[in-house]
Every structure is written in C-alpha cells, then in structure tokens.
Amino acid sequence: MQGISRETRRALRRVRRKRSTELNLVSMIDILTVLMFFLLVNSIGVSILGINLPNEDTTAAEPPPHNLAVLIRSTDLALTDNGFIIKSIPLFGGGFDYKALAALMKETKQRLPTESKITLLSEPGVSYEVLVSVMDAVRVDLTATGPNTVELFPLISLGDAPAAAGATP
C-alpha cells in the first residue's frame, strides 16, 4: 500500500468498514426456514401422539372416550372397551355366532348412542369371510330389514389382535 495516496487508503478503509456492518439476509432466511420446518414437524408430532390438553374454561370432568374393539380369535369373538373385555362370544357349532354379536352390538349402541367408531382386531389366519361377516354385524343391525335398517358402528378400522394371555411367543 506504499504507492496509494492517503485519500485512497481512507476510502478503502471506509469501504471495508461499510461491508462489515451489512446484514447477511441470506443466512437469516436459511435459519428461519430451518426454524419453520422444525416447528411444523414438532407440531405435527404432538397431534399424532393424540395429546389433548384441557381448556382453561373446562370445569366439569368429561367422561373418558370409548375405544371399542372386537377381537377376532380362532376360539371366540370378544368385545372390548379401552382394552377391557366386555363380553366374549365363543365358537358356536364350528363357526361364529354372528347373530349374538349383532345383538351385543345393538345393546352396546343403545348404551353408547353417540359412538360410531369401532376397531376389528384379528389374529393372523382369520379368513376373509369371517372378517366380512363380523364387519356386517358391527356396521348395521342385521335383524332390521328394509328401510328400518339402523347403523350401529359404521366407522370401522382394522388391526392385528394382541397376543392372547398365556400364549407363548
């Protein structure tokens, strides 16, 4: 810098100082993008877990939600609510008693009129015909005919049955 005049050196210093005080908006946008992605992923994770926090204005205790399920096993059909067996219908003459299941579902619908969801949990090896017959028995009242048909539990989910108590893995 020997050949540069003082004025030129001062001008170069001013340019260097000016560059160092500028904000780098590109890096700020990158950080905000990563932050937004992080917040979106975490908010979706909370809804997947099914965490329901009570509102501030909720004073009365609400009854626990029902989680109805029909376990389809090789030996019986069992209606459960939140994991507790309500009633079990054993194998009847080499096949399942779908009329008894339909009567049980009708009785359950009378007890829980606002409930419309049910889960069918089947063991491996359950035939398609058995699964469809159980679906029919829990979906509509089989005893009602014509325009008087009554929907019992039309929202059906399928899943694998948990291992039976005392079963060896």
Side-chain angles (χ1 to χ4, degrees), residues 71 73 76-88:
L71 295 174
R73 301 196 187 274
D76 64 345
L77 299 172
L79 176 65
T80 66
D81 188 5
N82 292 328
F84 298 103
I85 295 178
I86 295 173
K87 187 171 181 183
S88 179

Side-chain angles (χ1 to χ4, degrees), residues 53-104:
L53 298 176
N55 294 336
E56 294 174 6
D57 60 341
T58 305
T59 57
E62 296 179 10
H66 293 280
N67 189 8
L68 295 174
V70 175
L71 295 174
I72 306 170
R73 301 196 187 274
S74 58
T75 57
D76 64 345
L77 299 172
L79 176 65
T80 66
D81 188 5
N82 292 328
F84 298 103
I85 295 178
I86 295 173
K87 187 171 181 183
S88 179
I89 301 171
L91 208 59
F92 179 72
F96 292 111
D97 189 2
Y98 301 113
K99 289 184 181 182
L101 177 64
L104 177 62

Side-chain angles (χ1 to χ4, degrees), residues 16-30:
R16 279 189 219 137
R17 278 190 222 134
K18 189 176 181 183
R19 283 187 194 154
S20 65
T21 60
E22 291 177 358
L23 290 176
N24 190 354
L25 292 178
V26 173
S27 61
M28 286 180 60
I29 292 172
D30 289 343

Side-chain angles (χ1 to χ4, degrees), residues 141-154:
D141 183 8
L142 296 177
T143 58
T145 57
N148 299 329
T149 58
V150 178
E151 280 194 338
L152 298 173
F153 300 96

Side-chain angles (χ1 to χ4, degrees), residues 123-142:
E123 282 185 337
V126 172
S127 71
Y128 180 72
E129 290 81 16
V130 168
L131 189 61
V132 169
S133 297
V134 171
M135 283 177 137
D136 288 340
V138 300
R139 186 175 50 84
V140 294
D141 183 8
L142 296 177

